[in-house]
Amino acid sequence: MSTAARAWVREALRRIEADAQRSADTHLIPLRLPGFAGIDLYLKDESSHPSGSLKHRLARSLFLHALSSGWLREGSTVVESSSGSTAVSEAYFARLVGLPFVAVMPRTTSPQKIAAIEFQGGRCHLVDDPRAIYAESARLAGELGGHYMDQFTMAERATDWRANNNIAESVYAQMRLEPHPCPAWIVAAAGTGGTLATIGRYVRYARHATRVCGVDPERSVFFDAYVQRDRGLTCEAGSRIEGIGRPRVEASFLPDAIDAMVKVPDVWSLAAMHALADRLGRPVGGSTGTNLIAVLACASAMASAGQRGAIVTLLCDGGERYRQTCYDRDWLVTQGLACDAERAAIDAAIDSGRIPDMLAGAWRLAGDLKG
Ligand SMILES: Cc1ncc(COP(=O)(O)O)c(C=O)c1O
């Protein structure tokens, strides 16, 4: 590599480190569960990152990894296959280091997400078949002489699961003065699976007693892949909960680093999203609703065992992006996702500590949560 090329890489790395230096860590927000005495819930608010979601951490790791591996040079076009949040965050870092960015995504992606990527200086390349995003990204990167970042493969490789203020290390540091500094459960959903892999590895590496619970929405194969330990599973339709759920078992999904999983029907994810938005006083994304349902499964198991302790989950992104979809009543009805009854049942569950039969009959539990 020429001296000028090395200087460009050094400057790019400096800019990313300077950005991290300018940024504060994301908050850990307590949320009361009146019906579950002795069980404390905390939300790790990843929506407060400069690019608006938990993907800010992943995008930073992917750029540091690609720059340090010599895969990015001055003028390289960065290409990514993403349903949205990752592309918003990668566009942010591409602009920071002065590189063009192209996101390859399904044509069904919400206009708000496309606008958010373009606001960060990125370009969107839409495909009809959601399953074609991987091959099309690789093809486009080749055609442009650029680099395919490939979050689905690289997420678990690029993220430092031992330290460097990864999401898990940050949680334990922030829990230090709480009544239960070592959470009984950490709950997270999977898109690439990278966040769950980081949490699962860190918990084991740091020798914490915490158990890790993964969550899967409809139209996704992660739950069944976890139960059957079959990485060849696929499904037809793409997930309706943006950012999570996949039609194939992604390389960064590591079932052996997860202690339990919950399968959540979409109508319950969205009902929980609404319930949480009202209790927090601001909108959250659908995947955070999915997380809340699994939190109820963990809290219910702890209560049945007479166990006290803390549960931590992720507030993955803000709900502003979903005003014209998940927060629009007509859109919900049109999608067959009207959820008033489920919403009322979730409020009752949080306030009484009793899981309603309609939810107990709808979710699926696996691993340490399976009775
Ligand atoms: C809003 C949202 N929640 C959760 C996730 C899951 O994160 P991961 O890809 O680390 O599994 C994503 C991933 O894109 C996301 O966009």
Side-chain angles (χ1 to χ4, degrees):
M1 194 184 263
S2 69
T3 311
R6 287 179 77 90
W8 182 87
V9 171
R10 263 201 303 278
E11 171 58 11
L13 289 166
R14 184 199 65 75
R15 289 184 188 185
I16 294 176
E17 289 305 307
D19 174 80
Q21 185 66 29
R22 290 192 301 270
S23 305
D25 198 354
T26 56
H27 311 290
L28 194 62
I29 304 171
L31 186 83
R32 290 188 60 244
L33 297 175
F36 294 93
I39 298 176
D40 303 332
L41 172 61
Y42 301 84
L43 301 168
K44 180 68 172 159
D45 182 6
E46 296 291 287
S47 73
S48 52
H49 281 295
S51 61
S53 84
L54 80 172
K55 291 298 178 164
H56 195 82
R57 289 179 195 271
L58 174 64
R60 183 190 292 134
S61 299
L62 288 169
F63 270 81
L64 291 173
H65 189 246
L67 285 161
S68 306
S69 305
W71 298 337
L72 290 179
R73 297 161 184 259
E74 190 162 10
S76 303
T77 298
V78 176
V79 179
E80 183 59 281
S81 42
S82 160
S83 62
S85 303
T86 304
V88 174
S89 298
E90 286 189 24
Y92 173 97
F93 282 99
R95 178 154 66 178
L96 186 71
V97 300
L99 294 177
F101 176 78
V102 182
V104 178
M105 58 177 58
R107 206 172 292 286
T108 53
T109 301
S110 69
Q112 293 70 36
K113 283 237 169 142
I114 293 173
I117 294 162
E118 291 170 348
F119 175 79
Q120 298 288 353
R123 181 165 70 79
C124 298
H125 180 92
L126 305 179
V127 296
D128 297 321
D129 179 356
R131 291 163 302 178
I133 56 172
Y134 316 103
E136 180 63 7
S137 301
R139 186 196 67 73
L140 203 55
E143 181 185 296
L144 298 169
H147 175 68
Y148 174 28
M149 208 57 114
D150 190 5
Q151 62 162 332
F152 295 105
T153 304
M154 303 309 288
E156 60 91 6
R157 293 183 202 173
T159 305
D160 185 340
W161 48 270
R162 276 167 288 212
N164 256 324
N165 199 36
N166 66 50
I167 194 164
E169 188 182 49
S170 169
V171 164
Y172 285 93
Q174 292 174 322
M175 289 287 291
R176 202 168 50 78
L177 301 176
E178 297 306 309
H180 305 283
C182 179
W185 288 95
I186 300 182
V187 173
T192 62
T195 302
L196 266 177
T198 301
I199 295 169
R201 283 172 165 162
Y202 182 82
V203 164
R204 283 160 177 73
Y205 168 73
R207 298 192 293 281
H208 290 303
T210 306
R211 286 184 286 175
V212 176
C213 176
V215 201
D216 202 27
E218 287 173 38
R219 302 180 178 193
S220 175
V221 293
F222 288 134
F223 182 87
D224 292 327
Y226 177 78
V227 171
Q228 300 164 31
R229 289 300 198 267
D230 178 354
R231 299 194 71 86
L233 294 177
T234 60
C235 68
E236 288 302 308
S239 166
R240 291 183 293 192
I241 308 297
E242 290 214 18
I244 61 170
R246 299 294 309 162
R248 70 176 197 182
V249 184
E250 302 295 356
S252 292
F253 178 68
L254 305 181
D256 299 318
I258 304 169
D259 302 295
M261 276 202 86
V262 181
K263 183 82 172 174
V264 178
D266 295 347
V267 75
W268 286 97
S269 290
L270 298 175
M273 176 196 81
H274 284 280
L276 199 47
D278 283 357
R279 287 173 189 254
L280 284 175
R282 60 186 168 100
V284 299
S287 65
T288 306
T290 314
N291 286 342
L292 181 67
I293 296 294
V295 163
L296 291 176
C298 296
S300 170
M302 289 170 71
S304 315
Q307 186 189 1
R308 290 171 166 265
I311 302 173
V312 174
T313 194
L314 311 185
L315 195 168
C316 302
D317 65 349
E320 296 73 19
R321 298 175 179 167
Y322 309 107
R323 283 245 174 260
Q324 276 132 352
T325 52
C326 308
Y327 284 91
D328 181 295
R329 175 170 285 283
D330 296 342
W331 183 90
L332 287 172
V333 171
T334 319
Q335 299 290 322
L337 293 169
C339 53
D340 296 341
E342 289 79 3
R343 163 65 203 278
I346 289 166
D347 280 325
I350 292 172
D351 295 333
S352 71
R354 281 189 302 281
I355 302 299
D357 295 345
M358 61 190 291
L359 176 54
W363 63 20
R364 292 167 61 199
L365 308 178
D368 290 5
L369 283 175
K370 193 162 177 53

